[in-house]
Amino acid sequence: MADNTSEATVDKTVAPENPERREFLKNLPVLGIAWGAFAASVGVVLAGSLRFLFPNVLYEPPQQFKIGFPDDFQVGTVSTEFKDKFGVWVVRNDQGFYVLISVCTHLGCTPNWLSSENKFKCPCHGSGFYMTGINFEGPAPRPLERAAISLAEDGQILVDKSQKFLYERGGWDDPTSFLFFA
Amino acid sequence: MDTIQSWINVLFRPQLLIATSILALLGFCRYRKFCTQNKFMSAAILGFPLAFFAVSALEENFWIQFKRPDNVPISFMLWFVVFFIWLAMKKGVENDDRIAEGRPVYEAEPEEEEKVFVWPDLVYTELLCVLLISIMLVAWSILIPAPLEEPANPQLTPNPSKAPWYFLGLQEILVYFDPWLAGVLIPTFIVIGLMAIPYIDPNPKGNGYYTFAERRYEIFIFLFGFVILWVLLIFQGTFLRGPNWNFYGPYEYWDVHKVVPLTNVNLSEFIWARLLGVGMPSFWLVREIFGLLLLGLYFFALPVLFAKTLWKKFYLQMGLIPYVLGSDLMLWMLLVPIKMYLRWTLNLKYFVAIPEFFFNI
């Protein structure tokens, strides 16, 4: 017992430092350069990939556009002429206008306006929406979204798709989601 | 003729089609010996799909869908599914008889145990298969050109818009569930569930030989998931789903203006507005409390209840964790047809509908 303890103290005094640790410290600059270079190259590759998310030119339909004068629209109809170009329907009822974004709230297909059935119907999973945009059949969990609508200074209707109004969040009560026009 | 056609159209309504298919599958498993060992019954099982397609192809509306280049391989696949299930059951029944007589299974017979060489036996067979399949594919691509269309246009969604054939089952499930369930959670459960089978069910019986009697529940559950909830839904999506994603009979003209009343109602609306006659509560937790309770009972109380009654045998056999995993996967699988039937009968939209959080079941 006594021998063992004395041996242990002797060992400590002879080898105060761990030789492996010293080796590691000696190599530290090299390791630092190596890992630094690795991290830098990975970082550059990642940054390059992220750069793809911000293209120089973006072929997107404009988010704000004019759709003509209020008198161009017939009361009680859904105008589908802006669907191809801007991805919206313009609905004119007896009180005014609102703009529905033509993206199904189920999985994002483009529904069709069926004028004879008086409803929007999605060809992918059969979701149906009333003229107001309220969902009533199929799996769509919420109504179609509305875009901001206002009158421009020249008297044309101005639509802003970047502002969306969701019925379930109370967005349709917002005054810019509906354009009163007698 | 017209009346027969309209009757067949009725039989192919999804409610009836799925119910009769489940009954047919049950009957096939129950009377497996008659279905696979009797020559006339075997010929009927294998010949009926062929005869049905051959006779139906004479009908104008069926022919339009049948001859579509996308749909030709699906028709082949349907017959091959029937054939291979019949073949596996036939071999299983023969082995079950051997086991009952105390003889070794067919695969354990000495002449079957004999091994063959990779070269030339296997490679030679493979070469022949490569040649034959290549010839078949070349001939097919010449006879029925691929249905290429103009470049895709995001504003122009074809009506109906169909997924690739192997995803039509999922597309059908998407009709009844929210995208995050039918598009993410349920496919994940299918993949994980299939991978988990060897851990949930480590029973070595049936390894390396065909049998039915030794694994009747396991094989039936698998066939239910595969034949009813996958292959049959692909058939539905291919031949029965038409414009506006409405159901059409096999001999029905795909009328874009077909009007189907489908007004769907959430469970919360059923209970609050129709049953209790009060308005819908505005706070979502109160509004959806019944649906949440119902699903809670379904997923948490049913496994416990079944462990004590119907599935007691499995619970004792499997142990706690495999039982919980297995019963949960099973309940998820059964939720799909339950939800479908509730939609078809009661127009139920969602058990729990919280669009505020995009959470709908």
Side-chain angles (χ1 to χ4, degrees):
Chain A
M1 275 299 272
D3 278 353
N4 279 348
T5 44
S6 64
E7 256 177 315
T9 46
V10 168
D11 275 347
K12 259 187 193 166
T13 48
V14 170
E17 264 184 274
N18 190 338
E20 274 176 32
R21 199 167 156 223
R22 198 184 293 161
E23 280 290 306
F24 179 79
L25 285 173
K26 210 161 49 183
N27 287 335
L28 201 59
V30 182
L31 280 171
I33 291 167
W35 280 108
F38 177 72
S41 58
V42 168
V44 168
V45 170
L46 262 179
S49 312
L50 286 176
R51 178 69 181 75
F52 280 108
L53 297 176
F54 304 96
N56 295 335
V57 186
L58 200 57
Y59 296 100
E60 258 188 354
Q63 294 293 298
Q64 287 186 350
F65 44 88
K66 289 175 180 171
I67 53 171
F69 295 97
D71 292 330
D72 300 346
F73 299 89
Q74 223 184 320
V75 173
T77 58
V78 173
S79 169
T80 56
E81 63 180 299
F82 305 101
K83 196 175 118 178
D84 286 356
K85 206 169 167 193
F86 300 120
V88 294
W89 292 291
V90 182
V91 189
R92 168 76 160 112
N93 64 16
D94 49 3
Q95 285 187 311
F97 296 86
Y98 52 90
V99 172
L100 294 170
I101 292 167
S102 63
V103 175
C104 181
T105 53
H106 176 232
L107 212 56
C109 290
T110 309
N112 299 306
W113 168 248
L114 307 178
S115 52
S116 52
E117 284 91 8
N118 226 18
K119 68 182 178 187
F120 300 98
K121 187 77 175 164
C122 183
C124 290
H125 306 93
S127 293
F129 305 88
Y130 292 125
M131 200 172 173
T132 54
I134 297 278
N135 52 322
F136 73 100
E137 65 180 0
R142 52 199 189 85
L144 292 170
E145 293 172 2
R146 288 188 183 179
I149 183 169
S150 56
L151 268 187
E153 282 167 9
D154 59 356
Q156 291 200 61
I157 298 173
L158 182 71
V159 175
D160 183 4
K161 255 181 87 178
S162 60
Q163 252 184 300
K164 289 175 181 170
F165 299 101
L166 278 61
Y167 171 82
E168 67 276 10
R169 303 254 169 96
W172 290 9
D173 300 330
D174 195 289
T176 42
S177 72
F178 193 90
L179 178 65
F180 284 98
F181 194 87
Chain B
M1 201 60 203
D2 279 352
T3 46
I4 298 174
Q5 283 180 8
S6 54
W7 271 107
I8 293 177
N9 282 340
V10 170
L11 281 179
F12 273 89
R13 280 183 193 162
Q15 304 90 310
L16 287 172
L17 182 66
I18 290 192
T20 44
S21 303
I22 293 172
L23 286 179
L25 193 63
L26 272 171
F28 177 71
C29 292
R30 175 73 184 79
Y31 302 104
R32 53 191 179 277
K33 195 154 189 177
F34 177 61
C35 288
T36 56
Q37 304 301 316
N38 184 298
K39 281 202 182 87
F40 295 105
M41 194 59 193
S42 303
I45 288 173
L46 298 180
F48 177 73
L50 293 176
F52 175 75
F53 271 82
V55 174
S56 298
L58 299 172
E59 204 273 337
E60 195 185 352
N61 292 318
F62 189 90
W63 174 244
I64 291 172
Q65 302 311 324
F66 176 70
K67 70 165 190 211
R68 284 183 187 221
D70 295 305
N71 295 354
V72 172
I74 301 172
S75 307
F76 281 121
M77 181 204 68
L78 289 172
W79 187 79
F80 276 113
V81 167
V82 174
F83 170 71
F84 281 115
I85 289 172
W86 173 85
L87 186 68
M89 187 62 95
K90 180 179 158 68
K91 295 192 165 191
V93 167
E94 282 162 11
N95 272 345
D96 291 342
D97 285 350
R98 285 166 170 262
I99 295 166
E101 289 167 19
R103 290 194 292 146
V105 293
Y106 177 77
E107 287 82 354
E109 291 283 352
E111 61 264 31
E112 283 298 311
E113 293 237 300
E114 213 173 285
K115 295 182 172 60
V116 291
F117 292 108
V118 168
W119 172 263
D121 301 77
L122 175 71
V123 176
Y124 182 74
T125 317
E126 283 178 345
L127 178 73
L128 272 184
C129 289
V130 166
L131 284 174
L132 283 175
I133 300 263
S134 305
I135 292 168
M136 195 194 81
L137 283 177
V138 169
W140 188 342
S141 61
I142 291 170
L143 289 172
I144 308 173
L148 295 178
E149 294 170 35
E150 64 255 44
N153 174 2
Q155 294 305 329
L156 193 106
T157 316
N159 189 8
S161 263
K162 293 198 177 183
W165 66 268
Y166 42 84
F167 279 153
L168 281 174
L170 279 182
Q171 191 175 5
E172 187 63 33
I173 298 175
L174 269 164
V175 174
Y176 311 96
F177 290 97
D178 194 76
W180 71 264
L181 262 180
V184 181
L185 208 64
I186 291 176
T188 310
F189 280 167
I190 294 173
V191 173
I192 292 178
L194 286 172
M195 290 189 332
I197 286 176
Y199 302 97
I200 294 171
D201 170 40
N203 186 344
K205 282 188 174 167
N207 279 1
Y209 61 95
Y210 288 95
T211 175
F212 184 83
E214 289 186 347
R215 308 301 303 271
R216 56 183 92 220
Y217 297 108
E218 292 84 349
I219 292 174
F220 181 76
I221 292 167
F222 175 77
L223 283 181
F224 177 78
F226 177 61
V227 178
I228 307 290
L229 294 184
W230 196 252
V231 178
L232 193 67
L233 293 188
I234 288 174
F235 170 78
Q236 263 188 26
T238 309
F239 291 105
L240 306 180
R241 284 292 194 177
N244 296 327
W245 213 248
N246 284 325
F247 274 115
Y248 292 79
Y251 307 130
E252 194 176 342
Y253 170 66
W254 280 18
D255 180 9
V256 185
H257 297 291
K258 179 178 179 177
V259 178
V260 187
L262 289 171
T263 308
N264 295 329
V265 182
N266 288 324
L267 183 75
S268 51
E269 206 181 320
F270 260 119
I271 292 181
W272 288 109
R274 298 199 181 173
L275 211 67
L276 299 179
V278 294
M280 302 273 285
S282 52
F283 184 50
W284 58 269
L285 187 61
V286 182
R287 191 184 68 215
E288 303 300 336
I289 192 75
F290 295 109
L292 288 167
L293 276 177
L294 191 70
L295 284 177
L297 284 176
Y298 180 77
F299 279 113
F300 297 105
L302 269 194
V304 181
L305 188 72
F306 280 173
K308 299 202 165 169
T309 56
L310 202 60
W311 294 346
K312 190 169 185 174
K313 196 178 106 191
F314 299 103
Y315 173 62
L316 295 175
Q317 218 172 43
M318 293 162 80
L320 181 66
I321 290 172
Y323 172 80
V324 169
L325 280 175
S327 60
D328 261 3
L329 288 167
M330 184 85 182
L331 288 171
W332 270 106
M333 183 168 88
L334 289 175
L335 189 65
V336 173
I338 289 173
K339 185 84 191 284
M340 287 175 154
Y341 270 97
L342 285 173
R343 180 70 68 82
W344 293 330
T345 52
L346 300 173
N347 277 326
L348 178 83
K349 187 176 207 167
Y350 290 118
F351 292 112
V352 175
I354 312 177
E356 290 93 331
F357 305 129
F358 307 103
F359 183 87
N360 308 286
I361 298 176

